[in-house]
Amino acid sequence: MKRWLIALALVAPALLVPTVASSSAPAGAVQRPTCAGRPVTIDLNRAGAPDPDRRRSDVILGTPHRDRFRTGGGDDVVCAGRGADRVLLGKGEDTAYGGPGDDFLDGGDRSDHLNGGAGGDSIWGRGGWDQLEQSGLSRGADAVYGGAGNDTMRNATAGDLYYGGADRDFFTDAADCGSCDPAVAIFYLGGGGNDLLVSGGGKELLNGGDGSDTVSYVGLVEEPGPGVTVDLEVAAPQATGPGGTDILQSIENLVGSSEGDDVLSGDDGPNRLAGGNGADQLFGRGGDDDLEGGDGADLCDGGAGTNQYDGCEEST
């Protein structure tokens, strides 16, 4: 079985939540604060702190209040603090942590790491291959925009809108938020590229946009047993089983769970349906379909069209 979709769904580097602390120093010496483990070079809590908009690479510590600043041309690291901050990142490959306030983080044209924190944040990746996410169980209504470039977007919770943009984007790791409202959905909008959207266990709207887009349920079932049941012809909310309640729009391809017995059904267009290690049932319907059963005793029915089969013990 082709494994590229499954491998991609499992390999995405996490952006860890930073800690802000004071570095150790001899008795009587002034302790220097750190941001994400790095010594701070610009502390906005200090009178006369330099302007962050400069050419060198800086580590910038914000205040507990509403900070407004722009960074410069270096590869900067920002810990914006507890207020509702507005941070415009410059021309470098930057990293920014918003904190618990309702923050606005703008990544600029390079490849940046942006973490909004716990508030209701607005995050813009702009250009570059960005990593965009929230930390912990952020219960704010976050709006995350990838922009140009192949972006990785992580850790959404109920009520969040994640929009990928024009290129090939990767939506993954929806937060397991037991205290979030189960009636409120996460909104994933893929945009123009061939996007990969990984479903969590809650309520989600997954819209691939233009391109050939894939929804994956890898990681939801790790032991043999019932898997997910997903049908691309169903426009209404569908109970997928371990994948929660999903609405699928403009989706062409499906990847089932890792170990469960999945039932995956396509539509009248060309689809790629990939099972995992369970006893899967794959139904292509119309179009020229690619059915990949994987390990286990799999049933593959391509329907009308010229179909390709891989790892199917029974095919029709």
Side-chain angles (χ1 to χ4, degrees), residues 26-236:
V30 176
Q31 292 186 330
R32 187 178 183 182
T34 61
C35 165
R38 303 184 184 187
V40 168
T41 61
I42 298 179
D43 185 352
L44 298 179
N45 297 277
R46 299 177 63 88
D51 185 348
D53 188 1
R54 60 185 187 179
R55 293 183 178 180
R56 59 176 291 182
S57 296
D58 284 303
V59 180
I60 303 159
L61 179 61
T63 75
H65 311 294
R66 291 188 174 185
D67 296 319
R68 303 287 187 273
F69 61 87
R70 180 190 302 272
T71 67
D75 297 337
D76 301 308
V77 179
V78 176
C79 289
R82 302 185 62 84
D85 305 307
R86 183 178 180 89
V87 180
L88 307 179
L89 299 173
K91 297 180 180 180
E93 295 186 352
D94 305 309
T95 301
Y97 305 94
D102 297 339
D103 305 306
F104 178 89
L105 305 179
D106 189 320
D109 293 331
R110 300 292 296 275
S111 297
D112 304 303
H113 292 182
L114 307 179
N115 187 318
D121 305 306
S122 179
I123 301 175
W124 294 74
R126 306 287 184 188
W129 293 21
D130 302 307
Q131 292 189 53
L132 312 174
E133 65 179 321
Q134 303 298 317
S135 61
L137 295 181
S138 171
R139 296 180 181 86
D142 305 303
V144 182
Y145 305 94
N150 301 337
D151 304 309
T152 298
M153 310 176 75
R154 309 167 63 97
N155 293 351
T157 56
D160 290 346
L161 168 64
Y162 278 34
Y163 177 68
D167 294 293
R168 183 174 297 180
D169 302 305
F170 180 27
F171 302 78
T172 187
D173 293 347
D176 184 10
C177 180
S179 60
C180 292
D181 187 346
V184 177
I186 295 171
F187 296 86
Y188 288 148
L189 307 179
N194 298 337
D195 304 307
L196 175 58
L197 305 89
V198 180
S199 176
K203 184 175 183 179
E204 296 160 324
L205 184 148
L206 305 109
N207 185 318
D210 295 335
S212 181
D213 305 301
T214 302
V215 168
S216 172
Y217 293 87
V218 168
L220 290 178
V221 182
E222 299 295 343
E223 298 291 337
V228 297
T229 298
V230 189
D231 190 335
L232 292 182
E233 285 196 340
V234 175

